[in-house]
Amino acid sequence: MKKYLYILMSAMLMVMSAGCSSDDDSGMPEGGQENLIPLYSSNDLHYRYNTHVEALGNWNVCKDDEGRFRWATLYETTDPIDQLYAAPSSYEELNGKLFNLDDDHSLKLDSVAYYPATNEGYSRRVEIYHEYYRGVPVLCGQYRFHFLYNPTEQHIHHCSGFFMSFDNLDVTPAITGDQAIQIFSTYLKKPSDSSWTATLYAREYHVRVEGETFRREQRLVYYVTGPAAKVKVYMGDWPDEIDTNKSAEIDAHTGQIIYVGLKNSIPF
């Protein structure tokens, strides 16, 4: 009898040990069920920017209430053409004035669009740049530079965008994109498939503290695009449905779900 009792107890211990094993076949990182509760809602991140326009040399510059550049215009059609001649010929010439590029922060060209010739024989070109921090793309960090150019010279006409400065953010993730997808899948209680994606970003949040008081928070996140969804929108009084995807932002160091929403509807 003692022999059979020993065997039974040993079998139970083996089952318990298997259940507590650190080798998790689900692909989920450690962290528990608390990581499946989104840290913030859209109300927590709904930040209202106040802006003002000021002169910067020949530029009219719009800045937000944190002193960061939103757009700038140099040359208007009513201005003398010599103001255009004095404008920078490349975005690098604006470094230190509208943004600060260094070993950690950079702008990389994403796409270019061309338009027909305008007044004074200049054609127009728009270059779209994305911001990177230590080689990782910055979510919502983008600049558009509008150039006027002819066969002999080019000048920046105006530019717009948003540049974020990060302070020693660790850009080495502790979880993989596949694990981030698994976390979102578990949250939705819906299996993932090959259409789901996870992209690593440097991310800055404005988090509500109280009332209209916010604090800045910077994280390394996976932006996960999940299952297809239909959303009802209104154009005036008329409802319409658009096709989109459910999405989530997941902390790449802890596996915590930061925010759940819809693709391209990013609180910023």
Side-chain angles (χ1 to χ4, degrees):
M1 180 68 181
K2 290 183 178 179
K3 178 180 180 181
Y4 289 119
L5 182 60
Y6 173 79
I7 294 173
L8 178 61
M9 291 178 66
S10 298
M12 290 176 65
L13 287 171
M14 290 176 64
V15 171
M16 292 172 65
S17 297
C20 297
S21 172
S22 60
D23 296 329
D24 188 354
D25 294 333
S26 69
M28 289 280 289
E30 297 180 2
Q33 291 298 312
E34 66 272 13
N35 275 5
L36 296 178
I37 301 174
L39 193 59
Y40 302 125
S41 68
S42 58
N43 185 60
D44 297 322
L45 305 175
H46 187 65
Y47 184 69
R48 296 180 181 273
Y49 290 97
N50 297 313
T51 61
H52 66 279
V53 178
E54 61 184 54
L56 180 64
N58 289 329
W59 292 83
N60 291 319
V61 176
C62 177
K63 293 185 177 180
D64 64 25
D65 47 6
E66 294 186 347
R68 291 185 293 185
F69 158 79
R70 303 306 293 269
W71 57 257
T73 299
L74 171 68
Y75 176 72
E76 300 293 345
T77 56
T78 57
D79 291 336
I81 193 66
D82 56 3
Q83 285 195 21
L84 174 62
Y85 294 156
S89 61
S90 68
Y91 76 84
E92 288 91 349
E93 295 181 38
L94 296 174
N95 186 29
K97 296 180 179 179
L98 304 182
F99 44 78
N100 291 298
L101 303 178
D102 53 26
D103 291 340
D104 290 334
H105 299 83
S106 62
L107 293 173
K108 295 183 181 181
L109 183 64
D110 179 72
S111 61
V112 182
Y114 295 89
Y115 299 89
T118 59
N119 295 337
E120 307 294 338
Y122 283 89
S123 297
R124 185 163 66 92
R125 182 180 75 252
V126 180
E127 296 182 353
I128 300 175
Y129 288 77
H130 282 291
E131 182 188 353
Y132 285 75
Y133 175 71
R134 295 180 176 175
V136 176
V138 176
L139 192 62
C140 299
Q142 186 184 85
Y143 265 73
R144 293 173 178 264
F145 295 91
H146 296 250
F147 291 87
L148 293 180
Y149 68 97
N150 60 27
T152 60
E153 60 183 350
Q154 69 174 20
H155 303 279
I156 294 177
H157 175 280
H158 63 280
C159 49
S160 61
F162 201 80
F163 189 90
M164 286 158 277
S165 295
F166 288 83
D167 183 18
N168 201 30
L169 176 66
D170 181 2
V171 296
T172 303
I175 66 173
T176 65
D178 287 341
Q179 287 177 309
I181 289 175
Q182 179 61 41
I183 291 169
F184 193 32
S185 173
T186 302
Y187 168 80
L188 294 176
K189 298 179 180 179
K190 183 180 179 66
S192 62
D193 58 43
S194 60
S195 67
W196 293 37
T197 62
T199 306
L200 190 67
Y201 286 102
R203 173 73 152 108
E204 181 175 280
Y205 297 92
H206 284 82
V207 182
R208 189 184 303 277
V209 177
E210 183 179 359
E212 291 302 311
T213 302
F214 288 77
R215 61 179 172 81
R216 292 170 62 183
E217 181 178 292
Q218 296 179 338
R219 294 175 180 262
L220 185 72
V221 302
Y222 283 104
Y223 184 79
V224 180
T225 299
K230 286 188 176 294
V231 179
K232 183 177 288 187
V233 296
Y234 286 86
M235 300 296 291
D237 295 330
W238 298 97
D240 192 13
E241 280 192 338
I242 61 171
D243 293 319
T244 184
N245 296 81
K246 293 183 179 180
S247 68
E249 296 172 32
I250 296 172
D251 192 300
H253 293 137
T254 66
Q256 170 72 59
I257 298 178
I258 306 300
Y259 171 78
V260 173
L262 296 171
K263 183 180 179 181
N264 298 329
S265 296
I266 301 174
F268 185 57

